[in-house]
């Protein structure tokens, strides 16, 4: 199983306090992971305002149902990022369906919003970012590309196969091999 | 280096990997749901794969540079949370007795805590189904935890109605609501816990041709649930589906409970 880190233990304590209605603890969790959540949502939906709404909804999901998070299933931040990612992908797929009908394009200027602003991040998050980026650089480019298309561009394996002109089995294989490498390099495993 | 998987988990691993990345189509998602259900919530291998790959996917999220939040983002979030703050004394009591008191380790709760929770849920279901009759929670177990007062007070009002879902096996589930009001409660017993970290989500519909709208998430604790939800004032139908962690903006699976109001 995933070994809990010192910071994860702190996060779990915050969730326990959230479960008791402690909005200071809720605020602290948002301060800690809100910028990362928005960054993820923004990378996927390409709209700053909607990205913030999506990330807030994910946090509110934790507030409304704190028991939805179970410690044995991983870290609090893993749960939060999963919730944000899922909502962002849902949004994009609904919007794409409408866009196919309206043939509208997202305003490219939205993507560039906030450039130049610096977010001061917690030291452990800075360290983890560096570690994950180093890990990604070690993953073969063909595998990394599939992971990025799936995770950041909300594409299914079938879509990726069609776009890259690959057999579906090849896409699945690259996905699995890439994630196995990422898991090995990123996840601290207990025992 | 790859771990040796216990038999039957090669395909599970392949599906979980794609699922945490958001890359599964509906057919594969259905296969994953069915397989996780078949293996059961106590399958250690499934749990390990879900936890580790969820963390790996979270790494992809945290690899991005953080995005600056708008100046009022925090205040808006806290405001929204406080608007839901009565999002359950009963719900928080269930969460407290289940997860908080055992330190969130997932260990079994003490027997007295378990009995308290079971009383709460059983009382809530009984009270809910007794609406319209002569008996409410007053006649039930005398050692009522303080957190039950909000729900029982809600149910006790004369204009409270109950929409009971047709029973699915031993599971009982109902929504107590008042026409014209958003605040409602969902209560249930003998509910199976969704596998793979998924959650139940309640939906409501105000127009037979309209969309299903979000009403709230809930998780059974030892099969029982008492949770505050928010439905539309002119609700005509209710449904419950199983969704990924954090819920969805629209049902992504076929509802497991559905009823008209």
């Amino acid at each position: 199983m995933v070994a809990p880190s010192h910071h994860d233990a702190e996060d779990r304590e915050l969730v326990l306090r959230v479960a008791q209605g402690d909005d200071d603890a809720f605020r602290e969790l948002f301060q800690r992971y809100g910028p990362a959540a928005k960054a993820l949502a923004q990378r996927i939906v390409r709209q700053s305002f909607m990205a913030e709404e999506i990330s807030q909804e994910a946090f509110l999901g934790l507030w409304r149902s704190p028991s939805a998070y179970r410690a044995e299933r991983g870290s609090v931040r893993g749960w939060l990022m999963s919730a944000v990612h899922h909502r962002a992908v849902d949004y994009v797929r609904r919007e794409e369906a409408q866009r196919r009908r309206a043939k509208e394009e997202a305003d490219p200027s939205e993507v560039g919003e906030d450039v130049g602003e610096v977010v001061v991040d917690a030291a452990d998050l800075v360290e983890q970012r560096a570690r994950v980026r180093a890990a990604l650089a070690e993953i073969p480019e063909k595998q990394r590309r599939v992971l990025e298309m799936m995770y950041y561009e909300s594409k299914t394996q079938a879509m990726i196969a069609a776009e890259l002109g690959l057999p579906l089995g090849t896409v699945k294989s690259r996905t699995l091999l890439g994630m196995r490498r990422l898991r090995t390099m990123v996840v601290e495993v207990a025992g | 280096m790859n771990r040796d998987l216990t038999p039957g988990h090669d395909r599970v691993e392949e599906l979980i990997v794609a699922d945490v990345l958001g890359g599964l189509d509906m057919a594969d998602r259905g296969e994953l749901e069915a397989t996780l259900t078949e293996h059961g919530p106590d399958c250690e291998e499934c749990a390990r794969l879900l936890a580790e790959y969820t963390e790996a996917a979270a790494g992809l999220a945290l690899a991005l540079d953080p995005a600056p939040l708008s100046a009022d983002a925090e205040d808006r979030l806290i405001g929204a949370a406080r608007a839901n703050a009565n999002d359950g004394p009963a719900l928080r009591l269930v969460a407290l007795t289940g997860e908080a008191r055992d330190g969130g380790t997932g260990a079994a709760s003490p027997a007295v805590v378990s009995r308290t929770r079971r009383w709460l849920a059983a009382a809530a279901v009984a009270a809910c189904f007794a609406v319209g009759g002569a008996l409410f929670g007053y006649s039930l177990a005398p050692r009522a935890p303080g957190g039950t007062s909000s729900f029982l007070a809600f149910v006790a009002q004369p204009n409270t109605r109950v929409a009971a879902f047709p029973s699915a096996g031993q599971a009982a589930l109902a929504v107590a609501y008042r026409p014209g009001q958003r605040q409602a409660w969902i209560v249930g017993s003998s509910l199976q816990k969704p596998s793979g970290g998924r959650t139940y989500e309640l939906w409501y519909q105000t127009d037979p041709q309209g969309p299903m709208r979000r009403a709230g998430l809930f998780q059974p604790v030892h099969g029982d649930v008492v949770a505050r939800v928010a439905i539309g004032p002119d609700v005509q139908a209710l449904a419950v589906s199983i969704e990924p962690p954090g819920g969805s903006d629209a049902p992504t699976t076929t509802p497991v409970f559905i009823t008209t109001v």
Side-chain angles (χ1 to χ4, degrees):
Chain A
M1 296 298 293
V2 178
S5 67
H6 168 68
H7 297 285
D8 191 44
E10 292 178 347
D11 292 343
R12 293 178 188 189
E13 179 59 33
L14 288 174
V15 172
L16 291 178
R17 289 168 53 192
V18 168
Q20 298 174 39
D22 186 342
D23 56 26
D24 285 337
F26 188 51
R27 186 187 295 270
E28 191 171 333
L29 267 177
F30 185 66
Q31 288 171 349
R32 184 171 175 78
Y33 295 116
K38 181 179 176 181
L40 173 61
Q42 189 163 304
R43 176 66 181 267
I44 296 170
V45 305
R46 315 293 275 176
Q47 299 170 49
S48 177
F49 173 76
M50 187 51 62
E52 193 160 288
E53 291 298 302
I54 287 170
S55 59
Q56 292 217 348
E57 275 300 314
F59 277 86
L60 281 173
L62 179 64
W63 173 264
R64 293 175 185 134
S65 184
S67 62
Y69 167 71
R70 298 298 301 264
E72 65 269 24
R73 294 200 184 110
S75 67
V76 174
R77 63 186 170 197
W79 189 92
L80 282 170
M81 294 304 126
S82 175
V84 170
H85 184 262
H86 177 74
R87 288 169 185 277
V89 168
D90 265 359
Y91 173 82
V92 167
R93 287 178 180 166
R94 283 200 308 274
E95 289 294 300
E96 281 179 347
Q98 293 178 6
R99 246 198 306 275
R100 276 195 293 274
R101 290 191 290 272
K103 297 195 191 311
E104 290 174 355
E105 295 292 333
D107 181 354
S109 67
E110 278 268 23
V111 176
E113 194 177 331
D114 297 326
V115 167
E117 282 194 62
V118 175
V119 176
V120 179
D121 222 350
D124 68 302
L125 293 180
V126 173
E127 184 272 335
Q128 177 164 21
R129 185 173 307 118
R131 189 155 51 97
V132 173
R133 287 178 175 176
L136 284 171
E138 292 190 32
I139 294 175
E141 192 277 334
K142 290 181 178 179
Q143 295 171 10
R144 186 175 64 249
R145 182 64 187 132
V146 167
L147 300 188
E148 290 173 346
M149 291 177 75
M150 212 171 297
Y151 193 73
Y152 296 132
E153 300 175 29
S154 64
K155 294 189 166 95
T156 65
Q157 292 177 309
M159 291 175 180
I160 294 170
E163 186 170 324
L164 298 181
L166 295 171
L168 181 59
T170 299
V171 172
K172 291 183 176 181
S173 174
R174 290 181 184 179
T175 305
L176 184 59
L177 291 174
M179 281 296 280
R180 279 178 174 171
R181 286 176 183 263
L182 187 63
R183 180 190 68 172
T184 300
M185 290 185 280
V186 168
V187 177
E188 296 176 23
V189 177
Chain B
M1 179 181 301
N2 299 321
R3 290 172 174 241
D4 289 332
L5 297 174
T6 55
H9 286 90
D10 290 345
R11 178 61 176 158
V12 171
E13 183 187 18
E14 183 182 294
L15 290 170
I16 285 175
V17 158
D19 190 45
V20 299
L21 293 171
L24 281 186
D25 58 25
M26 290 298 288
D28 284 345
R29 170 71 69 83
E31 181 185 348
L32 176 59
E33 292 276 354
T35 304
L36 290 175
T37 300
E38 179 187 337
H39 286 208
D42 296 325
C43 176
E44 291 185 3
E45 188 68 11
C46 288
R48 181 182 70 80
L49 290 170
L50 280 166
E52 292 181 2
Y53 282 118
T54 297
E55 290 302 300
L60 290 171
L62 297 171
L64 300 172
D65 287 326
L69 299 168
S70 61
D72 65 345
E74 197 173 304
D75 290 340
R76 282 191 291 112
L77 179 70
I78 298 303
R82 287 174 177 165
N84 281 295
N86 298 320
D87 187 1
L91 173 62
R92 297 199 180 287
L93 177 64
V94 172
L96 277 174
T97 55
E99 272 65 50
R101 290 188 185 178
D102 67 11
T105 63
S109 300
V112 63
V113 168
S114 179
R115 284 198 299 273
T116 300
R117 180 172 55 241
R118 286 186 174 277
W119 179 91
L120 169 64
V125 174
C128 201
F129 287 105
V131 166
L135 298 177
F136 290 92
Y138 310 108
S139 67
L140 297 174
R143 293 183 302 280
T148 61
S149 58
S150 294
F151 169 71
L152 292 176
F154 181 89
V155 173
Q157 294 303 309
N159 60 336
T160 302
R161 298 183 186 178
V162 173
F165 292 97
S167 61
Q170 293 187 330
L173 192 66
V175 173
Y177 68 101
R178 295 194 195 118
Q181 295 186 19
R182 284 185 58 80
Q183 178 182 319
W185 290 83
I186 188 162
V187 293
S189 64
S190 301
L191 290 167
Q192 197 171 30
K193 189 174 180 66
S195 59
R198 283 154 173 80
T199 182
Y200 287 107
E201 185 157 11
L202 176 68
W203 310 91
Y204 71 93
Q205 195 179 34
T206 57
D207 175 349
Q209 306 302 322
M212 297 301 288
R213 301 175 189 279
R214 310 187 71 184
L217 306 176
F218 61 95
Q219 284 278 9
V221 181
H222 295 304
D224 305 326
V225 63
V226 178
R228 187 183 293 262
V229 293
I231 62 175
D234 301 311
V235 59
Q236 297 199 13
L238 295 164
V240 174
S241 65
I242 297 175
E243 301 297 329
S248 303
D249 292 327
T252 62
T253 63
T254 301
V256 292
F257 295 93
I258 192 164
T259 189
T260 55
V261 174

